[in-house]
Amino acid sequence: MPYKIKDIGLAEQGERQLGWAEMHMPALMEVRQELSRTKPFSGHRISAVLHVTKETGVLMRTLKAAGAEVALAAGNPLSTQNDIAAALANEGIHVYAISPESVGEYNEHIQKMVDFNPDIVLDDGGDLHSAIHSSGKTLGIIGGTEETTSGIHREKAMEKDGALRYPIVAVNNAFTKYLFDNRYGTGQSTLDGIVRATNIFIPGKIVVVAGYGWVGRGVAMRFKGMGARVIVTEVDPFKALEASMDGMDVMPMEYAAKAGDIFVTATGDIDVITQKHIELMKDGAIVSNTGHFDVEVDVKALREMAANSRKVRQNLEEYTLKNGRRIYLLAEGRIVNLGAAEGHPSEVMDLSFCNQALSALYVLENKGSLDKKVIKIPDEIDERIARIKLRALGVSIDALSDKQKKYLSQWAYGT
Ligand code: ADE
């Protein structure tokens, strides 16, 4: 069987979900229509490690319609939607993803993506690029893509070490990705995950957001909009200043720890909430992470500090500390928007996955001529995606006249 999923009997349910997502991803559907006519990926094999959601399913269908043989594994042990995995397997995509899966199974499934012998590699977080490089099977690979900030950090480190053996397009760094997916997508889906896991009332709560990058600012903005009082913790003076002028309270975590009702980490770094912070938290504090990896909250320390723990409801674990206070951890400290909810809604993934599809195409069309580096998506592709989406939304914009263009390119006329 060219797949390993939870239950193929869920295929019909997954198929209905995929239809719902397609309805809300008009830009990617337009790209699919074009690529299914030209079939540029015919004879090519694409391995992808992405969260197995209905939106990823729409991307996989698009790549298949464009001629590729496609294999897919999960981007996180908790993020697979089992019905989507079933529907895609039923359509001939090589899916290796089960939710929940152990870290061992997760790595086995990534190995399946290596063994698929792809020539194009799509990744979200860098585990697949890293596994392919560790296996030494980089020779036939034309290039790849990277979906997220954390993955780009890793791949830039590979580039710096001289280890990178093929070009990787940094999908994350496109305007049509981070301005929308990282900010509005994560803003909404993180709130969604926290509410689904807890059903807690947001107005009046003190929400601590660690990190004010595009993700953190989206999360802070959405909680503020719901009536929360938002504290931001930062290490970057520019971002801290921005948070402050956006109306957030800014302070170090050791002060925020005492005040917060809900904590969300969004930094991409380790040890953001550690034992010393947990010790200061109020009874009932809710702790979550929306960064890609489960390293931001020191879950191991929390477990060691606890006298006992129990599962209260799905994705909500109660830890009673030796000091008697109860701390509630969501989705095991893993990415809460995908662990406890369904990730970003289709409308925003529409943009992100147009970037994935067109970046894969760019890599293919420029085979052999791109540097073996982490590269930016060309501005023309980024702009094309923005224009496709605007058209799909029924929004039209002005165009510069020749006179305006000329004015912008001269230096003689001032006051
Ligand atoms: N990352 C965040 N949200 C996602 C989604 N809905 N599908 C795939 N990857 C995601």
Side-chain angles (χ1 to χ4, degrees), residues 131-149:
I132 287 178
H133 280 76
S134 303
S135 75
K137 289 167 94 174
T138 53
L139 217 53
I141 295 183
I142 301 169
T145 67
E146 173 53 57
E147 173 77 7
T148 200
T149 321

Side-chain angles (χ1 to χ4, degrees), residues 164-387:
L164 196 57
R165 294 281 170 265
Y166 52 78
I168 294 178
V169 179
V171 163
N172 182 71
N173 295 355
F175 289 124
T176 48
K177 203 287 187 172
Y178 70 85
L179 287 178
F180 307 96
D181 172 313
N182 300 29
R183 179 170 39 171
Y184 303 128
T186 318
Q188 178 165 326
S189 58
T190 299
L191 202 142
D192 184 13
I194 291 171
V195 170
R196 285 195 207 194
T198 62
N199 196 29
I200 204 160
F201 190 57
I202 304 298
K205 290 288 187 306
I206 299 177
V207 177
V208 178
V209 179
Y212 206 67
W214 290 104
V215 166
R217 71 186 69 182
V219 173
M221 180 197 293
R222 289 301 181 245
F223 272 103
K224 195 158 189 255
M226 288 280 286
R229 292 151 62 195
V230 179
I231 297 173
V232 168
T233 69
E234 247 306 337
V235 293
D236 179 314
F238 303 111
K239 290 179 183 158
L241 197 54
E242 207 175 355
S244 179
M245 292 203 189
D246 284 345
M248 315 294 168
D249 279 332
V250 181
M251 63 184 77
M253 183 58 87
E254 62 181 296
Y255 297 112
K258 295 179 203 157
D261 298 306
I262 301 171
F263 294 80
V264 188
T265 54
T267 69
D269 209 343
I270 58 170
D271 288 351
V272 179
I273 292 182
T274 60
Q275 177 170 356
K276 72 172 191 230
H277 304 122
I278 296 167
E279 267 161 9
L280 298 169
M281 287 180 186
K282 299 193 275 201
D283 183 33
I286 294 166
V287 177
S288 68
N289 162 55
T290 203
H292 185 84
F293 292 110
D294 61 341
V295 295
E296 305 206 22
V297 178
D298 191 346
V299 173
K300 187 164 169 275
L302 174 60
R303 291 193 176 128
E304 283 166 7
M305 290 164 75
N308 55 64
S309 67
R310 60 180 181 162
K311 182 174 173 174
V312 177
R313 32 189 279 146
Q314 205 182 355
N315 292 310
L316 178 61
E317 200 82 25
E318 177 187 75
Y319 290 88
T320 305
L321 305 187
K322 289 164 196 144
N323 65 14
R325 292 189 201 144
R326 289 156 298 175
I327 305 294
Y328 294 89
L329 180 69
L330 307 191
E332 302 170 15
R334 296 189 188 280
I335 193 166
V336 71
N337 59 345
L338 282 140
E342 295 170 62
H344 309 347
S346 306
E347 291 91 332
V348 78
M349 293 312 293
D350 194 20
L351 287 166
S352 311
F353 284 166
C354 276
N355 274 290
Q356 281 285 1
L358 295 180
S359 294
L361 184 63
Y362 174 70
V363 158
L364 179 63
E365 287 177 341
N366 291 279
K367 181 177 174 178
S369 66
L370 301 174
D371 290 338
K372 291 175 183 166
K373 290 187 170 166
V374 178
I375 55 179
K376 198 176 170 290
I377 194 167
D379 288 344
E380 309 84 72
I381 298 180
D382 203 359
E383 185 175 324
R384 185 178 159 216
I385 294 169
R387 289 189 185 279

Side-chain angles (χ1 to χ4, degrees), residues 110-121 128-142 165-166:
I110 292 205
Q111 190 54 40
K112 289 280 186 192
M113 298 302 105
V114 179
D115 297 342
F116 188 66
N117 293 322
D119 55 5
I120 298 175
V121 179
L128 181 53
H129 291 310
S130 168
I132 287 178
H133 280 76
S134 303
S135 75
K137 289 167 94 174
T138 53
L139 217 53
I141 295 183
I142 301 169
R165 294 281 170 265
Y166 52 78

Side-chain angles (χ1 to χ4, degrees), residues 30-88:
E30 191 175 315
V31 169
R32 182 190 294 176
Q33 211 173 32
E34 181 190 314
L35 299 187
S36 59
R37 270 198 307 273
T38 52
K39 299 220 181 294
F41 293 109
S42 291
H44 293 282
R45 297 170 74 79
I46 299 181
S47 280
V49 167
L50 297 167
H51 303 294
V52 182
T53 63
K54 58 191 184 309
E55 292 74 28
T56 297
V58 179
L59 174 64
M60 295 298 110
R61 279 180 165 182
T62 301
L63 297 170
K64 187 162 179 275
E69 275 275 318
V70 185
L72 174 65
N76 185 284
L78 289 186
S79 65
T80 294
Q81 293 162 15
N82 288 316
D83 54 351
I84 303 299
L88 296 177

